[in-house]
Amino acid sequence: MTATLEQLRRCHFAVDLGAARTRVFVKGAGLVVDQPSAAAVNTRTGALIAVGEFAERMTGRTPHYIRVVRPVSGGTVVDIEMAQRMLRHLLGDKMRRALRRKPFLRAAACTPHDADPLAQRAAIETLVGLGARRVELVDTLIAAAVGCGLPVEQPEASMIMVCGAAATEVAVLSMGAIVTAERVRVGGEAVDHAIVQHLRHEHELLLPSQNVRPLQLALSGNGLTPHGPTSTEIHGRDICTGLARSVKVDTAAVRDAIQTPLTAVLDSIGKVLRGCPPDLVADLADRGIMMVGGSALLPGFDQMLRQATGMPVHIAERPDVCAVQGLGTMLEGKIEPMELGTDTDTDIDTEKDAGTAI
């Protein structure tokens, strides 16, 4: 079944559970949570020590009995109980009490394109643990397209690329539905891993996870093009001696290391275009590709795509929050009625069996 706008308008809050960040939109209050999807747990007592930004800063800096966990991986909830605890703390007591006062609490959530039933069920169970009596699942591609202002309800092609931390999704949309789409498990984390492995093999330097993003930003606005800076200094730990060491990193070599995972993204664009009707491809020649997601801000990524495809490439105004903003737009009824291209419309009555969908 498909989730209609009428069903989404009845929802009280929406959640975008991403591998990197968790965002919550509450009707009437706007975006109330935008924090990393991380939680620090005391393994001796099971107590939750910190969530969000504070837990993210604790990564790699804690004693052995404190573990930083990520309950969301690849856009899928892998630890339902921890995801529920993390969301409760991120929302806070005041917001949770306001939501519990709703007589029949409804929620909406983003799910990756072609998410399997287990992944959909995990998202539903997570929100049921917050008190939701009914959960609507919306394809991330549809939500992000609405959030960045694409005319998805019109009979014309719109191409969107959602650049997430764990995966990249590319799709052509028309008439409020997905015409053709591809999902590859290459995202910001794969780029980070490529940089870490390059420094390990070429410079025998172990790079802390907190230093990967500054290195990407050091590539400046033309980072993935030859017009960027020739070198930058990075600090890490020597693999042989274990001592702190600084090296001058050749950014051209870093660009080459990054190109390898990004080749899969280019291949997915080609597959989508080959599976798209010719009339819609003609629309895309002028309209181009809209990039959303946190990894869309990778310096020079848009220029690389523009050169490889020959199509116009645009980055949304706030690419990192487009998906949850799209859900919020649909919750508040700010777009014309249309059918959403989502694979499921599942609701759960917690007064009955929690494992039975109505």
Side-chain angles (χ1 to χ4, degrees):
M1 298 178 66
T2 57
T4 64
L5 274 179
E6 184 61 33
Q7 291 169 325
L8 291 171
R9 285 194 191 103
R10 298 173 185 171
C11 294
H12 302 98
F13 71 103
V15 178
D16 178 18
L17 281 168
R21 298 184 76 87
T22 293
R23 300 175 177 93
V24 181
F25 184 99
V26 176
K27 185 185 291 186
L31 186 63
V32 297
V33 173
D34 185 3
Q35 294 281 338
S37 303
V41 183
N42 187 325
T43 56
R44 293 175 177 173
T45 64
L48 194 62
I49 298 174
V51 295
E53 295 281 0
F54 190 26
E56 180 89 353
R57 292 199 301 269
M58 294 171 65
T59 303
R61 303 171 182 270
T62 61
H64 69 279
Y65 61 88
I66 296 178
R67 188 163 56 99
V68 177
V69 298
R70 295 184 176 275
V72 184
S73 176
T76 301
V77 178
V78 294
D79 188 338
I80 295 175
E81 181 183 357
M82 187 55 64
Q84 291 173 349
R85 295 175 68 184
M86 180 184 72
L87 278 171
R88 290 192 192 102
H89 281 76
L90 290 176
L91 283 170
D93 294 336
K94 183 178 179 181
M95 185 57 68
R96 292 209 318 273
R97 283 196 298 268
L99 291 175
R100 281 199 299 265
R101 284 196 289 267
K102 306 294 183 183
F104 192 89
L105 187 61
R106 297 170 181 258
C110 289
T111 56
H113 179 66
D114 286 340
D116 59 71
L118 287 177
Q120 296 172 356
R121 190 69 186 181
I124 292 169
E125 292 292 343
T126 300
L127 298 187
V128 166
L130 295 178
R133 299 282 298 279
R134 181 181 175 97
V135 179
E136 307 286 354
L137 299 183
V138 180
D139 197 304
T140 301
L141 291 165
I142 294 288
V146 173
C148 66
L150 290 179
V152 292
E153 72 279 4
Q154 301 298 323
E156 55 190 30
S158 298
M159 191 170 189
I160 188 168
M161 184 167 71
V162 181
C163 309
T168 299
E169 301 175 68
V170 184
V172 174
L173 311 174
S174 180
M175 294 295 293
I178 297 173
V179 178
T180 179
E182 286 288 334
R183 184 171 186 261
V184 292
R185 293 190 175 277
V186 175
E189 292 176 353
V191 174
D192 293 349
H193 181 72
I195 294 175
V196 169
Q197 291 302 311
H198 168 74
L199 294 176
R200 186 184 183 96
H201 294 150
E202 298 297 326
H203 300 277
E204 296 184 348
L205 192 74
L206 190 60
L207 189 67
S209 58
Q210 291 86 352
N211 284 9
V212 176
R213 194 62 59 183
L215 177 58
Q216 292 182 8
L217 295 178
L219 298 176
S220 81
N222 298 317
L224 297 183
T225 68
H227 305 294
T230 58
S231 65
T232 184
E233 188 174 10
I234 194 70
H235 307 282
R237 189 182 72 186
D238 190 283
I239 294 177
C240 298
T241 65
L243 300 177
R245 183 161 63 93
S246 299
V247 296
K248 282 282 188 180
V249 178
D250 182 9
T251 54
V254 174
R255 284 196 297 270
D256 292 339
I258 291 176
Q259 292 284 352
T260 302
L262 294 183
T263 301
V265 176
L266 295 175
D267 291 342
S268 67
I269 295 176
K271 289 180 181 178
V272 168
L273 292 175
R274 287 193 294 271
C276 189
D279 291 341
L280 294 181
V281 174
D283 292 343
L284 297 175
D286 297 327
R287 193 179 300 274
I289 305 171
M290 178 64 74
M291 296 177 64
V292 302
S295 297
L297 298 173
L298 184 65
F301 191 14
D302 57 329
Q303 296 184 34
M304 187 196 76
L305 292 178
R306 199 173 291 116
Q307 294 172 1
T309 63
M311 298 171 60
V313 178
H314 314 283
I315 301 178
E317 184 176 352
R318 292 194 62 192
D320 51 337
V321 297
C322 280
V324 73
Q325 282 184 339
L327 283 178
T329 300
M330 291 185 277
L331 261 61
E332 295 182 341
K334 293 182 179 179
I335 59 174
E336 295 296 325
M338 64 179 180
E339 291 294 322
L340 299 179
T342 178
D343 293 331
T344 185
D345 170 25
T346 308
D347 60 283
I348 289 183
D349 189 344
T350 53
E351 292 183 346
K352 296 185 179 181
D353 184 4
T356 304
I358 296 176

